[in-house]
Amino acid sequence: MAGHSQFKNIMHRKGRQDAARAKLFAKLAREITVSVRNGLPDPEMNARLRLAIQAARAENMPKDNIERAIKKAAGADTEAYEAIRYEGYGPGGVAIIVEALSNNRNRTGGAVRAVFSKQGGNLGATGAVAHMFAHVGEIAYPAAAASGDAMLEAAIEAGAEDVVSSESGHEIYTTVDSLRDVAKALEGKFGEPRKAALVWKPKNTVAIDDEKGEQMIGLLETLNENDDVQNVYANFEMSDAVVAKMTA
């Protein structure tokens, strides 16, 4: 299992405290706000907004919060946020991509650079590691949504590129341009997915030992604690023993 997925599973198993959940909702609301500002307030006419709303629902964000974020974005006093991508290396030579939405590039850049430096990594220039990842659409369903064969057949028919099924669920991968169409087709058969988003999928992964694995989780956790950071991706794999230790 790739490091990004392992990290997400660790955070899910730990459970989110109220403060962490409030921070997550703030990030989801920011993505909704930016989606509206860059398009229309109607999710049927704004693919990015539709994906942002799906992501919010998947995290059980209250409907009122979602509607409030959309209405706020339609107002003239909404802050302008800039999408920024940072790239670098973590412990063990692991490649990392950080996506942020910020209203102050200098503040965010300084904070991200400090995390890399303090956590045993180093920040590089934009493009330093992007070639190690594929920018793709990802649609996720729980394992109970369908059998592996049924999901594979439906996904291929809908135009998906790849499907990975396991006991933890189904991950369907698409091209960037076909994500919306594939997601809508699968939604018609299996209901709303728990995730539908553009992601950076590692082309290859780097195996790291237990010590480096713990360091990587610490780096990813610290990055995710930053209010401006929306998503973090990394191309590592670590042992089940470290995952078990981190979720104990």
mmCIF file of all heavy atoms in Angstrom, residues 8-50:
data_model
loop_
_atom_site.group_PDB
_atom_site.id
_atom_site.type_symbol
_atom_site.label_atom_id
_atom_site.label_comp_id
_atom_site.label_asym_id
_atom_site.label_seq_id
_atom_site.Cartn_x
_atom_site.Cartn_y
_atom_site.Cartn_z
ATOM 1 N N LYS A 8 -3.313 7.983 5.400
ATOM 2 C CA LYS A 8 -4.735 8.266 5.551
ATOM 3 C C LYS A 8 -5.390 7.229 6.456
ATOM 4 O O LYS A 8 -6.250 7.553 7.286
ATOM 5 C CB LYS A 8 -5.427 8.284 4.179
ATOM 6 C CG LYS A 8 -5.079 9.488 3.321
ATOM 7 C CD LYS A 8 -5.590 10.769 3.959
ATOM 8 C CE LYS A 8 -5.337 11.964 3.043
ATOM 9 N NZ LYS A 8 -5.756 13.236 3.658
ATOM 10 N N ASN A 9 -5.005 5.963 6.293
ATOM 11 C CA ASN A 9 -5.570 4.914 7.132
ATOM 12 C C ASN A 9 -5.182 5.094 8.592
ATOM 13 O O ASN A 9 -5.973 4.861 9.507
ATOM 14 C CB ASN A 9 -5.105 3.530 6.647
ATOM 15 C CG ASN A 9 -5.813 3.108 5.378
ATOM 16 O OD1 ASN A 9 -6.825 3.686 5.004
ATOM 17 N ND2 ASN A 9 -5.284 2.103 4.701
ATOM 18 N N ILE A 10 -3.945 5.506 8.830
ATOM 19 C CA ILE A 10 -3.481 5.751 10.196
ATOM 20 C C ILE A 10 -4.304 6.865 10.834
ATOM 21 O O ILE A 10 -4.775 6.749 11.971
ATOM 22 C CB ILE A 10 -1.978 6.120 10.212
ATOM 23 C CG1 ILE A 10 -1.139 4.862 9.920
ATOM 24 C CG2 ILE A 10 -1.575 6.709 11.564
ATOM 25 C CD1 ILE A 10 0.328 5.149 9.718
ATOM 26 N N MET A 11 -4.505 7.959 10.104
ATOM 27 C CA MET A 11 -5.271 9.079 10.642
ATOM 28 C C MET A 11 -6.722 8.668 10.910
ATOM 29 O O MET A 11 -7.327 9.076 11.900
ATOM 30 C CB MET A 11 -5.248 10.260 9.661
ATOM 31 C CG MET A 11 -3.879 10.904 9.488
ATOM 32 S SD MET A 11 -3.194 11.577 11.024
ATOM 33 C CE MET A 11 -2.126 10.215 11.555
ATOM 34 N N HIS A 12 -7.271 7.821 10.014
ATOM 35 C CA HIS A 12 -8.654 7.377 10.180
ATOM 36 C C HIS A 12 -8.783 6.481 11.406
ATOM 37 O O HIS A 12 -9.715 6.617 12.198
ATOM 38 C CB HIS A 12 -9.105 6.622 8.922
ATOM 39 C CG HIS A 12 -10.498 6.075 9.028
ATOM 40 N ND1 HIS A 12 -11.612 6.884 8.991
ATOM 41 C CD2 HIS A 12 -10.959 4.803 9.183
ATOM 42 C CE1 HIS A 12 -12.700 6.138 9.104
ATOM 43 N NE2 HIS A 12 -12.339 4.884 9.221
ATOM 44 N N ARG A 13 -7.839 5.558 11.601
ATOM 45 C CA ARG A 13 -7.905 4.640 12.728
ATOM 46 C C ARG A 13 -7.675 5.339 14.060
ATOM 47 O O ARG A 13 -8.229 4.946 15.081
ATOM 48 C CB ARG A 13 -6.856 3.528 12.550
ATOM 49 C CG ARG A 13 -7.168 2.573 11.399
ATOM 50 C CD ARG A 13 -6.085 1.523 11.264
ATOM 51 N NE ARG A 13 -6.148 0.850 9.986
ATOM 52 C CZ ARG A 13 -5.242 -0.038 9.577
ATOM 53 N NH1 ARG A 13 -4.208 -0.321 10.346
ATOM 54 N NH2 ARG A 13 -5.355 -0.615 8.405
ATOM 55 N N LYS A 14 -6.860 6.363 14.039
ATOM 56 C CA LYS A 14 -6.636 7.127 15.272
ATOM 57 C C LYS A 14 -7.911 7.827 15.710
ATOM 58 O O LYS A 14 -8.143 8.037 16.889
ATOM 59 C CB LYS A 14 -5.541 8.183 15.042
ATOM 60 C CG LYS A 14 -4.123 7.656 15.184
ATOM 61 C CD LYS A 14 -3.146 8.815 15.105
ATOM 62 C CE LYS A 14 -1.730 8.374 15.405
ATOM 63 N NZ LYS A 14 -0.787 9.507 15.374
ATOM 64 N N GLY A 15 -8.746 8.169 14.743
ATOM 65 C CA GLY A 15 -9.952 8.931 15.064
ATOM 66 C C GLY A 15 -9.583 10.399 15.172
ATOM 67 O O GLY A 15 -8.483 10.753 15.567
ATOM 68 N N ARG A 16 -10.498 11.252 14.805
ATOM 69 C CA ARG A 16 -10.217 12.689 14.831
ATOM 70 C C ARG A 16 -10.797 13.334 16.074
ATOM 71 O O ARG A 16 -11.972 13.153 16.393
ATOM 72 C CB ARG A 16 -10.797 13.363 13.577
ATOM 73 C CG ARG A 16 -10.091 12.966 12.301
ATOM 74 C CD ARG A 16 -10.534 13.886 11.173
ATOM 75 N NE ARG A 16 -9.802 13.590 9.963
ATOM 76 C CZ ARG A 16 -10.210 12.705 9.058
ATOM 77 N NH1 ARG A 16 -11.317 12.040 9.248
ATOM 78 N NH2 ARG A 16 -9.517 12.484 7.977
ATOM 79 N N GLN A 17 -9.990 14.087 16.782
ATOM 80 C CA GLN A 17 -10.470 14.863 17.902
ATOM 81 C C GLN A 17 -11.235 16.052 17.356
ATOM 82 O O GLN A 17 -11.149 16.390 16.183
ATOM 83 C CB GLN A 17 -9.291 15.325 18.757
ATOM 84 C CG GLN A 17 -8.503 14.167 19.359
ATOM 85 C CD GLN A 17 -7.271 14.651 20.113
ATOM 86 O OE1 GLN A 17 -6.856 15.795 19.956
ATOM 87 N NE2 GLN A 17 -6.709 13.776 20.915
ATOM 88 N N ASP A 18 -12.004 16.700 18.227
ATOM 89 C CA ASP A 18 -12.845 17.817 17.781
ATOM 90 C C ASP A 18 -12.044 18.917 17.100
ATOM 91 O O ASP A 18 -12.450 19.460 16.072
ATOM 92 C CB ASP A 18 -13.606 18.401 18.976
ATOM 93 C CG ASP A 18 -14.684 17.445 19.479
ATOM 94 O OD1 ASP A 18 -15.034 16.518 18.739
ATOM 95 O OD2 ASP A 18 -15.162 17.640 20.604
ATOM 96 N N ALA A 19 -10.882 19.254 17.676
ATOM 97 C CA ALA A 19 -10.062 20.329 17.109
ATOM 98 C C ALA A 19 -9.571 19.959 15.719
ATOM 99 O O ALA A 19 -9.584 20.779 14.799
ATOM 100 C CB ALA A 19 -8.878 20.618 18.025
ATOM 101 N N ALA A 20 -9.141 18.705 15.553
ATOM 102 C CA ALA A 20 -8.657 18.250 14.252
ATOM 103 C C ALA A 20 -9.793 18.213 13.243
ATOM 104 O O ALA A 20 -9.610 18.521 12.066
ATOM 105 C CB ALA A 20 -8.023 16.864 14.386
ATOM 106 N N ARG A 21 -10.974 17.841 13.698
ATOM 107 C CA ARG A 21 -12.124 17.776 12.804
ATOM 108 C C ARG A 21 -12.521 19.183 12.357
ATOM 109 O O ARG A 21 -12.881 19.405 11.201
ATOM 110 C CB ARG A 21 -13.298 17.099 13.509
ATOM 111 C CG ARG A 21 -14.390 16.652 12.555
ATOM 112 C CD ARG A 21 -15.193 15.523 13.157
ATOM 113 N NE ARG A 21 -16.035 14.888 12.156
ATOM 114 C CZ ARG A 21 -15.584 14.009 11.265
ATOM 115 N NH1 ARG A 21 -14.318 13.669 11.258
ATOM 116 N NH2 ARG A 21 -16.402 13.477 10.380
ATOM 117 N N ALA A 22 -12.463 20.135 13.273
ATOM 118 C CA ALA A 22 -12.781 21.520 12.920
ATOM 119 C C ALA A 22 -11.795 22.043 11.886
ATOM 120 O O ALA A 22 -12.172 22.750 10.946
ATOM 121 C CB ALA A 22 -12.742 22.398 14.176
ATOM 122 N N LYS A 23 -10.519 21.681 12.030
ATOM 123 C CA LYS A 23 -9.503 22.091 11.067
ATOM 124 C C LYS A 23 -9.783 21.475 9.697
ATOM 125 O O LYS A 23 -9.658 22.136 8.660
ATOM 126 C CB LYS A 23 -8.114 21.672 11.573
ATOM 127 C CG LYS A 23 -6.958 22.170 10.704
ATOM 128 C CD LYS A 23 -5.632 21.646 11.227
ATOM 129 C CE LYS A 23 -5.256 22.289 12.533
ATOM 130 N NZ LYS A 23 -4.823 23.707 12.359
ATOM 131 N N LEU A 24 -10.177 20.200 9.691
ATOM 132 C CA LEU A 24 -10.500 19.527 8.436
ATOM 133 C C LEU A 24 -11.681 20.208 7.755
ATOM 134 O O LEU A 24 -11.648 20.466 6.547
ATOM 135 C CB LEU A 24 -10.823 18.056 8.704
ATOM 136 C CG LEU A 24 -11.340 17.258 7.502
ATOM 137 C CD1 LEU A 24 -10.272 17.150 6.421
ATOM 138 C CD2 LEU A 24 -11.805 15.871 7.933
ATOM 139 N N PHE A 25 -12.725 20.515 8.521
ATOM 140 C CA PHE A 25 -13.902 21.176 7.951
ATOM 141 C C PHE A 25 -13.524 22.535 7.366
ATOM 142 O O PHE A 25 -14.061 22.950 6.328
ATOM 143 C CB PHE A 25 -14.990 21.344 9.005
ATOM 144 C CG PHE A 25 -15.720 20.071 9.352
ATOM 145 C CD1 PHE A 25 -16.615 20.036 10.411
ATOM 146 C CD2 PHE A 25 -15.512 18.905 8.629
ATOM 147 C CE1 PHE A 25 -17.295 18.871 10.725
ATOM 148 C CE2 PHE A 25 -16.187 17.731 8.935
ATOM 149 C CZ PHE A 25 -17.090 17.713 9.992
ATOM 150 N N ALA A 26 -12.610 23.245 8.022
ATOM 151 C CA ALA A 26 -12.170 24.553 7.522
ATOM 152 C C ALA A 26 -11.479 24.406 6.170
ATOM 153 O O ALA A 26 -11.670 25.224 5.264
ATOM 154 C CB ALA A 26 -11.239 25.219 8.534
ATOM 155 N N LYS A 27 -10.675 23.349 6.025
ATOM 156 C CA LYS A 27 -9.980 23.119 4.755
ATOM 157 C C LYS A 27 -10.970 22.741 3.653
ATOM 158 O O LYS A 27 -10.849 23.195 2.513
ATOM 159 C CB LYS A 27 -8.928 22.019 4.930
ATOM 160 C CG LYS A 27 -7.760 22.411 5.828
ATOM 161 C CD LYS A 27 -6.697 21.336 5.854
ATOM 162 C CE LYS A 27 -5.530 21.752 6.743
ATOM 163 N NZ LYS A 27 -4.393 20.808 6.663
ATOM 164 N N LEU A 28 -11.945 21.916 4.004
ATOM 165 C CA LEU A 28 -12.957 21.518 3.025
ATOM 166 C C LEU A 28 -13.782 22.732 2.595
ATOM 167 O O LEU A 28 -14.103 22.891 1.413
ATOM 168 C CB LEU A 28 -13.867 20.444 3.631
ATOM 169 C CG LEU A 28 -13.209 19.087 3.891
ATOM 170 C CD1 LEU A 28 -14.111 18.219 4.753
ATOM 171 C CD2 LEU A 28 -12.890 18.369 2.578
ATOM 172 N N ALA A 29 -14.107 23.596 3.555
ATOM 173 C CA ALA A 29 -14.866 24.808 3.239
ATOM 174 C C ALA A 29 -14.062 25.734 2.340
ATOM 175 O O ALA A 29 -14.609 26.372 1.429
ATOM 176 C CB ALA A 29 -15.248 25.529 4.532
ATOM 177 N N ARG A 30 -12.762 25.807 2.573
ATOM 178 C CA ARG A 30 -11.908 26.655 1.746
ATOM 179 C C ARG A 30 -11.903 26.159 0.302
ATOM 180 O O ARG A 30 -11.978 26.963 -0.639
ATOM 181 C CB ARG A 30 -10.478 26.675 2.299
ATOM 182 C CG ARG A 30 -9.530 27.577 1.522
ATOM 183 C CD ARG A 30 -8.151 27.639 2.141
ATOM 184 N NE ARG A 30 -8.176 28.260 3.463
ATOM 185 C CZ ARG A 30 -7.086 28.526 4.186
ATOM 186 N NH1 ARG A 30 -5.889 28.219 3.704
ATOM 187 N NH2 ARG A 30 -7.181 29.092 5.364
ATOM 188 N N GLU A 31 -11.842 24.850 0.103
ATOM 189 C CA GLU A 31 -11.859 24.288 -1.256
ATOM 190 C C GLU A 31 -13.205 24.583 -1.919
ATOM 191 O O GLU A 31 -13.257 24.911 -3.111
ATOM 192 C CB GLU A 31 -11.601 22.787 -1.217
ATOM 193 C CG GLU A 31 -11.769 22.075 -2.548
ATOM 194 C CD GLU A 31 -10.846 22.579 -3.653
ATOM 195 O OE1 GLU A 31 -9.757 23.121 -3.343
ATOM 196 O OE2 GLU A 31 -11.207 22.434 -4.843
ATOM 197 N N ILE A 32 -14.290 24.492 -1.169
ATOM 198 C CA ILE A 32 -15.612 24.816 -1.712
ATOM 199 C C ILE A 32 -15.662 26.285 -2.120
ATOM 200 O O ILE A 32 -16.135 26.636 -3.213
ATOM 201 C CB ILE A 32 -16.715 24.517 -0.672
ATOM 202 C CG1 ILE A 32 -16.857 23.002 -0.478
ATOM 203 C CG2 ILE A 32 -18.058 25.109 -1.117
ATOM 204 C CD1 ILE A 32 -17.778 22.615 0.668
ATOM 205 N N THR A 33 -15.144 27.149 -1.265
ATOM 206 C CA THR A 33 -15.138 28.585 -1.540
ATOM 207 C C THR A 33 -14.353 28.909 -2.807
ATOM 208 O O THR A 33 -14.822 29.657 -3.677
ATOM 209 C CB THR A 33 -14.519 29.344 -0.353
ATOM 210 O OG1 THR A 33 -15.318 29.131 0.812
ATOM 211 C CG2 THR A 33 -14.445 30.833 -0.646
ATOM 212 N N VAL A 34 -13.165 28.342 -2.923
ATOM 213 C CA VAL A 34 -12.326 28.588 -4.097
ATOM 214 C C VAL A 34 -12.994 28.033 -5.356
ATOM 215 O O VAL A 34 -12.940 28.646 -6.429
ATOM 216 C CB VAL A 34 -10.930 27.965 -3.910
ATOM 217 C CG1 VAL A 34 -10.117 28.039 -5.198
ATOM 218 C CG2 VAL A 34 -10.185 28.672 -2.786
ATOM 219 N N SER A 35 -13.649 26.883 -5.233
ATOM 220 C CA SER A 35 -14.329 26.279 -6.381
ATOM 221 C C SER A 35 -15.433 27.182 -6.905
ATOM 222 O O SER A 35 -15.605 27.341 -8.117
ATOM 223 C CB SER A 35 -14.918 24.915 -5.979
ATOM 224 O OG SER A 35 -13.908 24.022 -5.560
ATOM 225 N N VAL A 36 -16.176 27.791 -5.982
ATOM 226 C CA VAL A 36 -17.255 28.706 -6.387
ATOM 227 C C VAL A 36 -16.684 29.975 -7.017
ATOM 228 O O VAL A 36 -17.169 30.449 -8.049
ATOM 229 C CB VAL A 36 -18.139 29.066 -5.177
ATOM 230 C CG1 VAL A 36 -19.156 30.145 -5.563
ATOM 231 C CG2 VAL A 36 -18.863 27.830 -4.658
ATOM 232 N N ARG A 37 -15.635 30.521 -6.394
ATOM 233 C CA ARG A 37 -15.028 31.750 -6.908
ATOM 234 C C ARG A 37 -14.446 31.569 -8.309
ATOM 235 O O ARG A 37 -14.403 32.507 -9.107
ATOM 236 C CB ARG A 37 -13.924 32.233 -5.956
ATOM 237 C CG ARG A 37 -14.425 32.801 -4.647
ATOM 238 C CD ARG A 37 -15.269 34.052 -4.828
ATOM 239 N NE ARG A 37 -14.544 35.137 -5.467
ATOM 240 C CZ ARG A 37 -13.853 36.058 -4.812
ATOM 241 N NH1 ARG A 37 -13.779 36.028 -3.496
ATOM 242 N NH2 ARG A 37 -13.228 37.019 -5.462
ATOM 243 N N ASN A 38 -14.010 30.350 -8.619
ATOM 244 C CA ASN A 38 -13.410 30.077 -9.926
ATOM 245 C C ASN A 38 -14.412 29.522 -10.934
ATOM 246 O O ASN A 38 -14.034 29.173 -12.053
ATOM 247 C CB ASN A 38 -12.251 29.093 -9.783
ATOM 248 C CG ASN A 38 -11.071 29.715 -9.051
ATOM 249 O OD1 ASN A 38 -10.908 30.930 -9.050
ATOM 250 N ND2 ASN A 38 -10.248 28.893 -8.428
ATOM 251 N N GLY A 39 -15.663 29.402 -10.529
ATOM 252 C CA GLY A 39 -16.671 28.862 -11.436
ATOM 253 C C GLY A 39 -18.044 29.407 -11.119
ATOM 254 O O GLY A 39 -18.252 30.612 -11.056
ATOM 255 N N LEU A 40 -18.998 28.506 -10.889
ATOM 256 C CA LEU A 40 -20.372 28.871 -10.570
ATOM 257 C C LEU A 40 -20.785 28.202 -9.260
ATOM 258 O O LEU A 40 -20.207 27.182 -8.869
ATOM 259 C CB LEU A 40 -21.314 28.420 -11.700
ATOM 260 C CG LEU A 40 -21.110 29.082 -13.073
ATOM 261 C CD1 LEU A 40 -21.931 28.336 -14.131
ATOM 262 C CD2 LEU A 40 -21.529 30.549 -13.016
ATOM 263 N N PRO A 41 -21.797 28.738 -8.569
ATOM 264 C CA PRO A 41 -22.239 28.135 -7.310
ATOM 265 C C PRO A 41 -23.106 26.890 -7.482
ATOM 266 O O PRO A 41 -23.580 26.326 -6.502
ATOM 267 C CB PRO A 41 -23.030 29.280 -6.654
ATOM 268 C CG PRO A 41 -23.531 30.092 -7.795
ATOM 269 C CD PRO A 41 -22.444 30.035 -8.828
ATOM 270 N N ASP A 42 -23.315 26.476 -8.717
ATOM 271 C CA ASP A 42 -24.124 25.285 -9.015
ATOM 272 C C ASP A 42 -23.203 24.100 -9.278
ATOM 273 O O ASP A 42 -22.468 24.087 -10.273
ATOM 274 C CB ASP A 42 -25.010 25.553 -10.234
ATOM 275 C CG ASP A 42 -25.897 24.358 -10.580
ATOM 276 O OD1 ASP A 42 -25.825 23.331 -9.877
ATOM 277 O OD2 ASP A 42 -26.655 24.457 -11.557
ATOM 278 N N PRO A 43 -23.225 23.061 -8.428
ATOM 279 C CA PRO A 43 -22.335 21.909 -8.630
ATOM 280 C C PRO A 43 -22.566 21.162 -9.938
ATOM 281 O O PRO A 43 -21.658 20.502 -10.451
ATOM 282 C CB PRO A 43 -22.626 21.013 -7.410
ATOM 283 C CG PRO A 43 -23.961 21.449 -6.921
ATOM 284 C CD PRO A 43 -24.043 22.909 -7.216
ATOM 285 N N GLU A 44 -23.765 21.256 -10.494
ATOM 286 C CA GLU A 44 -24.034 20.592 -11.766
ATOM 287 C C GLU A 44 -23.333 21.300 -12.925
ATOM 288 O O GLU A 44 -23.081 20.697 -13.968
ATOM 289 C CB GLU A 44 -25.547 20.539 -12.026
ATOM 290 C CG GLU A 44 -26.302 19.617 -11.082
ATOM 291 C CD GLU A 44 -25.790 18.191 -11.131
ATOM 292 O OE1 GLU A 44 -25.505 17.705 -12.249
ATOM 293 O OE2 GLU A 44 -25.650 17.562 -10.066
ATOM 294 N N MET A 45 -23.013 22.574 -12.726
ATOM 295 C CA MET A 45 -22.344 23.356 -13.757
ATOM 296 C C MET A 45 -20.870 23.620 -13.424
ATOM 297 O O MET A 45 -20.161 24.254 -14.194
ATOM 298 C CB MET A 45 -23.063 24.705 -13.932
ATOM 299 C CG MET A 45 -24.526 24.591 -14.300
ATOM 300 S SD MET A 45 -24.763 23.866 -15.936
ATOM 301 C CE MET A 45 -24.123 25.191 -16.959
ATOM 302 N N ASN A 46 -20.432 23.131 -12.260
ATOM 303 C CA ASN A 46 -19.078 23.387 -11.779
ATOM 304 C C ASN A 46 -18.503 22.069 -11.259
ATOM 305 O O ASN A 46 -18.793 21.658 -10.130
ATOM 306 C CB ASN A 46 -19.124 24.448 -10.672
ATOM 307 C CG ASN A 46 -17.743 24.864 -10.186
ATOM 308 O OD1 ASN A 46 -16.786 24.110 -10.271
ATOM 309 N ND2 ASN A 46 -17.645 26.067 -9.651
ATOM 310 N N ALA A 47 -17.692 21.411 -12.095
ATOM 311 C CA ALA A 47 -17.158 20.091 -11.746
ATOM 312 C C ALA A 47 -16.299 20.134 -10.483
ATOM 313 O O ALA A 47 -16.370 19.243 -9.636
ATOM 314 C CB ALA A 47 -16.344 19.544 -12.915
ATOM 315 N N ARG A 48 -15.486 21.190 -10.348
ATOM 316 C CA ARG A 48 -14.625 21.281 -9.168
ATOM 317 C C ARG A 48 -15.458 21.415 -7.896
ATOM 318 O O ARG A 48 -15.136 20.804 -6.870
ATOM 319 C CB ARG A 48 -13.663 22.465 -9.301
ATOM 320 C CG ARG A 48 -12.736 22.622 -8.109
ATOM 321 C CD ARG A 48 -11.688 23.693 -8.335
ATOM 322 N NE ARG A 48 -10.859 23.887 -7.152
ATOM 323 C CZ ARG A 48 -9.830 24.729 -7.070
ATOM 324 N NH1 ARG A 48 -9.492 25.454 -8.132
ATOM 325 N NH2 ARG A 48 -9.137 24.840 -5.950
ATOM 326 N N LEU A 49 -16.519 22.189 -7.947
ATOM 327 C CA LEU A 49 -17.388 22.353 -6.784
ATOM 328 C C LEU A 49 -18.073 21.041 -6.432
ATOM 329 O O LEU A 49 -18.191 20.688 -5.254
ATOM 330 C CB LEU A 49 -18.435 23.430 -7.053
ATOM 331 C CG LEU A 49 -19.493 23.631 -5.954
ATOM 332 C CD1 LEU A 49 -18.838 23.990 -4.635
ATOM 333 C CD2 LEU A 49 -20.504 24.695 -6.377
ATOM 334 N N ARG A 50 -18.503 20.316 -7.442
ATOM 335 C CA ARG A 50 -19.159 19.021 -7.203
ATOM 336 C C ARG A 50 -18.212 18.083 -6.459
ATOM 337 O O ARG A 50 -18.607 17.404 -5.509
ATOM 338 C CB ARG A 50 -19.591 18.406 -8.534
ATOM 339 C CG ARG A 50 -20.259 17.032 -8.398
ATOM 340 C CD ARG A 50 -20.655 16.499 -9.778
ATOM 341 N NE ARG A 50 -21.121 15.120 -9.715
ATOM 342 C CZ ARG A 50 -22.348 14.759 -9.393
ATOM 343 N NH1 ARG A 50 -23.243 15.680 -9.079
ATOM 344 N NH2 ARG A 50 -22.694 13.485 -9.358
#
